Amino acid sequence: MAKFRGAIVVDNEKCKGCGLCVVACPTKVIDLNPDVNGKGYHYAYMKNPEACIGCASCGLVCPDSVISVYKMNVE
Amino acid sequence: MIDIQDIIKPENLVYEKSSLLTDNVMHYCPGCTHGVVHKLVAEVIEELGIQEQTIGVSPVGCSVFAYNYIDIDWAEAAHGRAPAVATGISRLHPEKYVFTYQGDGDLASIGCGEIMHACNRGENIVVIFINNAIYGMTGGQMAPTTLLGQVTATTPYGRDAKLNGFPMKITELIAQLDGTCYVTRQSADTPGAVRKTKNALKKAFQNTRLQKGTSFVEVVSTCNSGWKVTPVEANNWMRENMFKKYPLGDIKDI
């Protein structure tokens, strides 16, 4: 069991669906949503939220700074 | 079982958008490295607490609208002349943190003379150089930094050394000049590389505080629209091809 649980909040309307966060995520939490936002981009979302450890890798590589990362100690 | 809403609370926040970045949506293409570097510049200025003392000089190129995105004072220079404008600002206001933000078309091509002489004079400025080996804004033409064999709008059969010359390693040239105190080449493709680039930028701004001379930070970048690939493929292409010609690391640090 992971010591940390994390979660991300994506600004859906500003996300451009570039997919850099998807490959940056070490625990394969993020994927691009089949739905699109107002600009027609497949925005990022947590497909597998239980695996998120709050490492903020996605936030670091996001070119549009649309990801906020939360992290909580669960021990 | 922990609910997601229990994690998403203000006290658990570990990473968010810098307060120096405005709410404007960046005009850059999806996956553009400019966005990452803008964010890092904003974070570094915020962490050093120098928002009121920083003046940026934006170039001509995709990043011409940088002044719309980072909430500091800006000047907009003619194509390639950002180091000359920054020279004037930093000499008038020696206590300010002055930086230029330039692409490879702006810095290595039309502004090659200005950057060489500004660095040779050792002006107390920071130069941020985005090298994506192409002219992004005008539609993907060959730049001085375009790799041999790379296909662009103006080299449809690949860059040929006989016809177009060789790719220019401008950062190595700059490192030869005595006016520079810190010359480094970084990238922004992985979380680790982003952290290293941020540290390099922080060091560059601290050099300004110490009046050490010109700090030059190159960021090897992608232009997925110009290269005609997806953002993820662009990062892979950059790692496979650009890093061979443009190896990462500090070139000069005194």
Side-chain angles (χ1 to χ4, degrees):
Chain A
M1 191 63 194
K3 287 180 184 174
F4 292 102
R5 279 290 306 272
I8 63 167
V9 176
V10 179
D11 186 339
N12 293 346
E13 281 309 308
K14 281 190 177 175
C15 178
K16 294 176 184 164
C18 66
L20 293 183
C21 53
V22 177
V23 292
C25 180
T27 54
K28 311 240 180 314
V29 172
I30 310 173
D31 204 351
L32 296 183
N33 202 314
D35 288 344
V36 293
N37 62 15
K39 287 185 173 167
Y41 291 124
H42 293 281
Y43 53 90
Y45 80 119
M46 283 201 291
K47 191 181 186 184
N48 181 20
E50 286 78 30
C52 182
I53 52 171
C55 67
S57 292
C58 50
L60 280 167
V61 298
C62 177
D64 293 281
S65 305
V66 298
I67 302 178
S68 303
V69 184
Y70 296 82
K71 185 178 187 179
M72 194 168 85
N73 195 337
V74 290
E75 272 193 333
Chain B
M1 191 67 198
I2 301 162
D3 190 59
I4 295 295
Q5 291 311 318
D6 293 334
I7 305 173
I8 301 172
K9 284 179 180 165
E11 65 266 27
N12 292 335
L13 185 68
V14 288
Y15 191 88
E16 66 168 346
K17 181 179 163 178
S18 165
S19 65
L20 250 64
L21 286 174
T22 61
D23 288 332
N24 298 329
V25 178
M26 292 190 188
H27 70 283
Y28 302 119
C29 307
C32 179
T33 316
H34 273 309
V36 183
V37 182
H38 280 21
K39 172 174 70 178
L40 295 180
V41 171
E43 285 177 4
V44 165
I45 293 172
E46 188 181 12
E47 283 170 24
L48 294 175
I50 54 172
Q51 182 184 5
E52 299 294 321
Q53 292 100 48
T54 307
I55 302 171
V57 184
S58 66
V60 171
C62 286
S63 51
V64 62
F65 294 128
Y67 48 74
N68 283 336
Y69 306 130
I70 307 177
D71 190 11
I72 53 171
D73 290 329
W74 285 92
E76 160 61 35
H79 203 354
R81 273 62 184 172
V85 175
T87 298
I89 296 172
S90 81
R91 288 193 176 194
L92 266 173
H93 301 287
E95 76 288 358
K96 301 276 189 195
Y97 297 82
V98 184
F99 73 93
T100 72
Y101 186 104
Q102 303 175 265
D104 52 334
D106 190 78
L107 184 144
S109 183
I110 191 168
C112 198
E114 275 74 14
I115 191 65
M116 286 291 165
H117 286 283
C119 289
N120 194 41
R121 291 191 303 268
E123 300 295 343
N124 194 35
I125 58 174
V126 177
V127 179
I128 301 164
F129 170 39
I130 307 296
N131 177 8
N132 57 13
I134 209 164
Y135 277 84
M137 185 180 74
T138 48
Q141 290 84 0
M142 186 192 79
T145 46
T146 297
L147 302 176
L148 287 179
Q150 187 181 342
V151 174
T152 69
T154 45
T155 55
Y157 305 109
R159 183 174 186 165
D160 174 13
K162 252 185 188 164
L163 190 63
N164 312 113
F166 293 92
M168 198 182 224
K169 296 172 91 169
I170 194 122
T171 306
E172 274 81 353
L173 288 173
I174 297 279
Q176 305 296 317
L177 303 172
D178 291 335
T180 53
C181 64
Y182 180 49
V183 181
T184 185
R185 183 184 284 123
Q186 304 293 337
S187 75
D189 55 328
T190 61
V194 171
R195 284 200 176 91
K196 279 188 190 167
T197 306
K198 186 177 173 183
N199 286 340
L201 288 170
K202 193 176 252 178
K203 183 168 185 169
F205 277 97
Q206 283 165 338
N207 285 342
T208 300
R209 178 180 291 166
L210 301 170
Q211 307 268 333
K212 282 174 79 171
T214 312
S215 300
F216 190 96
V217 181
E218 171 178 348
V219 184
V220 183
S221 305
T222 62
C223 178
N224 53 73
S225 298
W227 297 355
K228 319 284 185 215
V229 290
T230 67
V232 175
E233 287 165 2
N235 271 341
N236 292 336
W237 192 89
M238 175 178 76
R239 281 191 281 266
E240 281 167 25
N241 299 287
M242 300 245 326
F243 286 1
K244 280 184 202 148
K245 183 71 187 169
Y246 304 112
L248 305 185
D250 288 357
I251 297 163
K252 183 179 184 183
D253 183 10
I254 50 171

